Amino acid sequence: MSSVRPKLGPDVPKVITAWDVATGATVYRTQSGDWSQDLSDAETVTGEAADKALSAAVTDETRILDPYVMEVSDEGGVAGRETLRETIRATGPTTHPDFHKAERGVINA
Amino acid sequence: MYRYDEFDAAIVKERAEQFRGQVERRLKGEITEDQFKPLRLMNGVYLQLHAYMLRIAIPYGTLRADQMRTFAHIARKYDKGYGHWTTRQNIQFNWVALKDIPDVLDELAGVEMHAIQTSGNCIRNTTSDQFAGATAEEIADPRPWCEIIRQWSTFHPEFSFLPRKFKIAVTAAEHDRAAIRVHDIGLHMRKNAEGETGFEVIVGGGQGRTPHVGVTIRDFVGEDQLLDYLEAVMRVYNRFGRRDNKYKARIKILVNETGADEFAKLVEAEFEAQKDAEKIVLPQAEIDRISAYFAAPDFETLPEASSAFEEAKAKDAAFARWARVNTRAHKQAGYSIVTISCKPIGAPPGDVSHKQMEVTADLAEKFSFEEIRITHEQNMVLPHVKLDDLYEVYQTLEAAGLATANYELISDIICCPGLDYCNLANARSIPVAQELQNTFADIERQDDIGELKIKISGCINACGHHHVGHIGILGVDRKGEEFYQITFGGRSDEKAAIGQIAGPGLRAEDVPPALERVIEKYREVRSEPSERFIDALERLGHDPFKEALYAAD
C-alpha cells in the first residue's frame, strides 16, 4: 500500500520516503534499495526510475510501510508544496528542540 | 475507583499477548500492513508523521496513583520521557516503537489499563466531568454510569462495526464541564418529578468538518432503562447511518438529515419494539456493586475554613492567586478540588514529563486518596485535597513546574498535536498556542481578561475543539503555507454553540497581534470587569470584535 500525497510531474526530482515498520521512523530509499533515516542518503529519481523505485518500495513491506514519492530540490533537499510537512518528518517536531534529529546525531550535518 | 475482577484482568492480559503475536508476525513479514493495520488500530496504535503513537484509554478520566506511575515508567523506558493528555481524557505516547508496544500493553495490563476502544469505528472511551464525585454541583456521581456503559459497550458485537467512531459523555452537574452537547450521545443526569434519577439523552452533537450541537431526544430515561434506550439509539444509527462516505457517517449527519423529531420517533419505535428477552436486566445489586467502587473516600470531618490555608495565602501572594484560580469548591467541608495546569507558558499544551507524573502520583497518594483526574481540556486534577494541605501541594507543584495559575484563563489553551506530529494535520497548532501564551503571559493581564477559552486545531478534524472555543483557531494549508482561520462564539458548556468564522485566515505571525486587538476591544466594551468575553460577545454581537481582528489591514 502506498500513501496518497500530491501528484508530482515526471521531471520533478523526488525521493521515495516511508516509515520503518519496527520503529515508525521516517526513512528514505537509497540507491542500493536500502532505507536510511538520513535524507542526504536518499537516491534522487525522476520519470520512470521514480515509478520503478516506488514499485520496488511497495513490495518491501516487511521493512517499511506506506511509501510515497516526495519532492526534493536538485541538491536533494526538501522542496515543493509539502516542504513544511516533509521538513518535520525529516528533522522532527518544531516544538521540541531536544527531539530534533540533527541534535541527536541521526541526520548528517 | 473501579477495580477489575478476575475476568477483566484476564481479558486485558490476553489481549496484550494476542497483540504480541500479531506484532511478531508483522515484523517477520508473515502478515501485510493491510492485514495488520486494523489489528494495531484496535490496540490504539496509530502511525503519525515520524513515529507510531500509542493512545491509552483512561476511563472517564479517572486514574489511580499507581497507574500514573506506570505512565511515567512507560514515558521513561519506551518514549522520550513525556506523555500527552488528549481532548478525550486519554494519554498519547508519541514515540513508542512498534516492537516495544506488546511490552507496554503488558505493563498497562498490570495496572488494569489498556488501549482498547481508543481507535476504530466502535464506542470509544466514555468521558465525564473531571470534578465528578467531588463537586457539590452534581445530583449524583456520573462515573458508575460511565463504567456501566463501558462494560456494556466493550466487545459488544452489535457495536464492533459501526458506520463511524462513537463518543459518549456523561455529566451530573448543571454546569457542563464534559462538553456533552458536542458528543454523539450526551447524557445529563436529572431527577424527575418523582425524585428518581435518570438521564436526559442528547444525540447528534459533534465537531469535525461538519459541527453540530446535539439535540435532546428524551428528557428523561430511568436508570433501569438506560442501556435499553442507548441500544435503541445505536440500532437506529447502525441501520440508517451512512457507510458509503466516511465524511457523512457520524450520527450527527443522520440526525441532521433525518430531523431530530423523526430520529427521536425512530429511536422510540426501536425502544418499544425491544422484546422482553432482549431487555438488558441491570439488577440494582449490580448497580450498587459498581457504585460502591466510587463511594466517597473516608473524608475527615473538618470546619469549612482552614486557618492554615488563610495564613499561607496571607504570607504568599503567588499561592493566594493560584488557590483563587486553580481550586474549586468541594462538596465536603474543609476540602478543595485542585486543577493542575498542564499549560505552562510557552510549553506544548497537555504535555507532562515522567518526573511531573511521578510528582502528581506522590501528591495523589499523600493528599488526594490516590485519585487523579485527566480533563478533556488537557489538565490534571487532584479531586480531594484538604484546605489544610493546599500550601504544601502548591509548593510541591511549584517545584515541579506544575503550578501555573491559569485554569480557564486565556493561556489555558486546548491544542491538538498539529502538523508537528499528526499525519492528518494541515498546519501546526502547538507553536501558535505557545506564541499566544507568551503574548498573554502577564498574570495580572490574564486575571483582568478573566475566563476565556482559546482552542486550536491543526485541521478540520477538530481534535483541538476549535469549533467550541470562545475564540477558535483552525490551521489550514493554502498552497503549502499555513494560515489560521479565527472563529468567535463557540462554547462547549450547557449553552453549547458552534463558533462562527470571523473572516479570512491569518498568517501565524499575525494571530497574536490580531487577538491582542480583539482582547483590547473586549476590555474597552465590556459592561463591567466581571462580564466575560463570551458574554460580551453575545451581548454585542461579533462585529466589533471582527473589526478589531482585522484592524491592521
Side-chain angles (χ1 to χ4, degrees):
Chain A
M1 183 179 157
S2 174
S3 275
V4 179
R5 303 306 311 170
K7 285 189 175 169
L8 302 174
D11 298 332
V12 173
K14 44 187 87 81
V15 302
I16 312 299
T17 182
W19 289 264
D20 176 65
V21 169
T23 64
T26 303
V27 290
Y28 304 97
R29 193 167 190 272
T30 67
Q31 196 166 17
S32 65
D34 282 330
W35 296 91
S36 170
Q37 288 190 42
D38 189 339
L39 178 58
S40 66
D41 292 339
E43 178 189 27
T44 301
V45 284
T46 56
E48 279 187 28
D51 296 338
K52 283 184 182 173
L54 181 60
S55 297
V58 167
T59 65
D60 198 6
E61 67 175 345
T62 300
R63 292 197 290 180
I64 57 95
L65 68 155
D66 287 359
Y68 62 94
V69 290
M70 62 169 264
E71 184 172 350
V72 292
S73 64
D74 291 336
E75 293 75 35
V78 176
R81 177 177 171 154
E82 299 216 293
T83 293
L84 177 59
R85 171 192 155 91
E86 293 304 341
T87 300
I88 290 170
R89 286 190 73 239
T91 60
T94 61
T95 54
H96 269 293
D98 294 349
F99 303 159
H100 200 278
K101 288 183 181 176
E103 301 295 319
R104 292 182 285 127
V106 174
I107 300 283
N108 291 334
Chain B
M1 287 177 56
Y2 186 73
R3 299 300 302 242
Y4 280 8
D5 61 21
E6 62 190 294
F7 303 106
D8 294 326
I11 285 170
V12 294
K13 196 82 181 163
E14 282 171 13
R15 181 72 168 236
E17 280 311 299
Q18 286 169 359
F19 194 58
R20 186 180 301 282
Q22 292 156 2
V23 169
E24 282 174 7
R25 289 160 65 201
R26 175 69 183 102
L27 293 175
K28 288 177 183 169
E30 294 173 3
I31 53 175
T32 65
E33 182 59 21
D34 284 348
Q35 292 166 326
F36 179 65
K37 188 174 179 180
L39 301 174
R40 69 170 161 82
L41 287 175
M42 280 190 276
N43 287 286
V45 183
Y46 291 72
L47 184 66
Q48 297 289 55
L49 270 192
H50 29 52
Y52 289 103
M53 177 269 282
L54 176 65
R55 183 182 296 155
I56 298 159
I58 302 174
Y60 29 92
T62 298
L63 271 181
R64 295 193 311 262
D66 65 322
Q67 294 171 323
M68 182 68 95
R69 289 195 195 287
T70 299
F71 288 164
H73 168 71
I74 290 167
R76 269 191 305 272
K77 185 170 179 181
Y78 302 102
D79 204 272
K80 293 187 187 296
Y82 77 105
H84 175 79
W85 308 124
T86 79
T87 51
R88 296 211 74 254
Q89 299 182 295
N90 291 324
I91 188 169
Q92 291 182 182
F93 288 105
N94 284 317
W95 299 93
V96 185
L98 179 64
K99 59 186 174 54
D100 292 333
I101 290 176
D103 289 338
V104 175
L105 294 182
D106 207 39
E107 304 231 28
L108 289 168
V111 289
E112 305 173 17
M113 302 207 87
H114 56 74
I116 298 163
Q117 288 175 293
T118 62
S119 176
N121 296 338
C122 61
I123 296 178
R124 304 285 187 90
N125 183 34
T126 298
T127 53
S128 191
D129 181 357
Q130 68 268 21
F131 294 169
T135 177
E137 299 167 15
E138 65 191 12
I139 62 164
D141 188 339
R143 292 173 302 157
W145 291 97
C146 296
E147 176 59 28
I148 287 167
I149 292 167
R150 187 189 73 79
Q151 294 190 18
W152 159 76
S153 63
T154 302
F155 305 139
H156 192 309
E158 275 192 50
F159 314 144
S160 60
F161 187 60
L162 295 171
R164 269 305 256 138
K165 58 188 169 183
F166 203 93
K167 300 173 182 176
I168 300 175
V170 190
T171 191
E174 204 52 50
H175 177 44
D176 179 8
R177 282 174 288 266
I180 64 170
R181 283 165 180 78
V182 284
H183 278 73
D184 295 288
I185 292 179
L187 297 173
H188 198 147
M189 295 190 78
R190 304 276 189 199
K191 289 212 184 279
N192 66 7
E194 287 72 44
E196 298 162 332
T197 305
F199 302 84
E200 176 189 353
V201 181
I202 300 157
V203 172
Q207 300 191 58
R209 68 184 60 223
T210 318
H212 286 283
V213 172
V215 290
T216 299
I217 60 167
R218 246 302 184 117
D219 290 328
F220 189 86
V221 174
E223 290 180 337
D224 58 332
Q225 294 186 314
L226 176 66
L227 296 185
D228 285 326
Y229 198 81
L230 291 180
E231 199 145 301
V233 174
M234 299 307 297
R235 284 182 175 180
V236 171
Y237 174 51
N238 236 341
R239 191 184 315 149
F240 297 112
R242 289 180 62 168
R243 294 174 186 272
D244 59 328
N245 181 340
K246 71 180 284 194
Y247 302 118
K248 297 189 175 184
R250 296 289 291 268
I251 196 171
K252 62 189 174 186
I253 304 294
L254 178 64
V255 172
N256 191 50
E257 290 185 351
T258 308
D261 290 345
E262 183 59 26
F263 184 86
K265 284 180 191 167
L266 291 169
V267 172
E268 292 296 330
E270 176 64 39
F271 184 56
E272 291 301 318
Q274 287 171 347
K275 297 178 177 63
D276 285 346
E278 289 179 276
K279 296 284 185 192
I280 300 166
V281 178
L282 192 59
Q284 189 59 44
E286 181 62 5
I287 297 173
D288 292 344
R289 185 187 73 82
I290 291 174
S291 296
Y293 287 110
F294 300 94
D298 195 11
F299 293 124
E300 292 176 36
T301 302
L302 297 168
E304 289 283 350
S306 156
S307 56
F309 176 48
E310 296 303 326
E311 284 165 18
K313 284 196 291 184
K315 75 174 184 186
D316 187 336
F319 168 62
R321 181 179 182 278
W322 173 85
R324 175 169 51 78
V325 174
N326 282 37
T327 68
R328 293 291 182 270
H330 198 283
K331 65 181 181 184
Q332 180 73 21
Y335 284 80
S336 178
I337 304 169
V338 172
T339 295
I340 302 173
S341 170
C342 301
K343 319 288 177 59
I345 300 301
D351 279 10
V352 183
S353 73
H354 66 100
K355 289 180 183 170
Q356 292 174 323
M357 292 178 193
E358 295 281 10
V359 167
T360 306
D362 289 345
L363 289 172
E365 281 176 345
K366 193 170 177 187
F367 298 112
S368 189
F369 299 93
E370 302 203 9
E371 263 198 60
I372 303 154
R373 309 286 173 75
I374 306 304
T375 83
H376 86 269
E377 294 184 322
Q378 302 177 295
N379 290 317
M380 299 184 287
V381 169
L382 296 174
H384 312 297
V385 180
K386 282 195 282 190
L387 293 173
D388 291 345
D389 295 330
L390 275 178
Y391 194 41
E392 188 175 343
V393 168
Y394 165 77
Q395 289 173 309
T396 308
L397 291 172
E398 173 74 15
L402 286 170
T404 308
N406 63 353
Y407 175 50
E408 295 195 310
L409 300 183
I410 193 168
S411 63
D412 184 8
I413 298 171
I414 287 188
C415 181
C416 74
L419 189 58
D420 279 297
Y421 293 92
C422 179
N423 209 5
L424 302 174
N426 295 319
R428 287 172 294 170
S429 48
I430 296 171
V432 177
Q434 291 170 314
E435 278 308 306
L436 286 172
Q437 288 177 324
N438 289 328
T439 300
F440 294 103
D442 182 81
I443 56 173
E444 289 183 9
R445 191 179 181 197
Q446 290 193 53
D447 271 347
D448 181 73
I449 296 166
E451 182 186 319
L452 202 163
K453 302 202 173 195
I454 295 179
K455 306 188 182 194
I456 308 174
S457 302
C459 78
I460 196 62
N461 291 304
C463 294
H465 292 194
H466 67 277
H467 291 303
V468 291
H470 299 169
I471 297 175
I473 302 174
L474 167 64
V476 295
D477 171 285
R478 233 187 255 165
K479 296 182 179 174
E481 278 192 78
E482 297 170 299
F483 277 83
Y484 295 88
Q485 209 172 62
I486 310 296
T487 56
F488 288 136
R491 55 197 296 177
S492 62
D493 60 6
E494 58 280 7
K495 294 182 178 175
I498 305 300
Q500 295 170 19
I501 297 170
L506 304 172
R507 292 178 187 279
E509 62 270 25
D510 295 333
V511 172
L515 292 195
E516 277 207 285
R517 291 192 297 274
V518 170
I519 298 306
E520 286 313 305
K521 171 58 71 175
Y522 153 66
R523 293 171 75 182
E524 178 192 320
V525 301
R526 63 188 175 186
S527 59
E528 54 188 348
S530 63
E531 184 182 44
R532 300 176 305 169
F533 175 80
I534 189 71
D535 298 327
L537 197 65
E538 286 177 10
R539 180 172 60 83
L540 296 167
H542 293 196
D543 286 348
F545 303 100
K546 286 183 190 175
E547 283 170 22
L549 187 72
Y550 296 109
D553 292 343

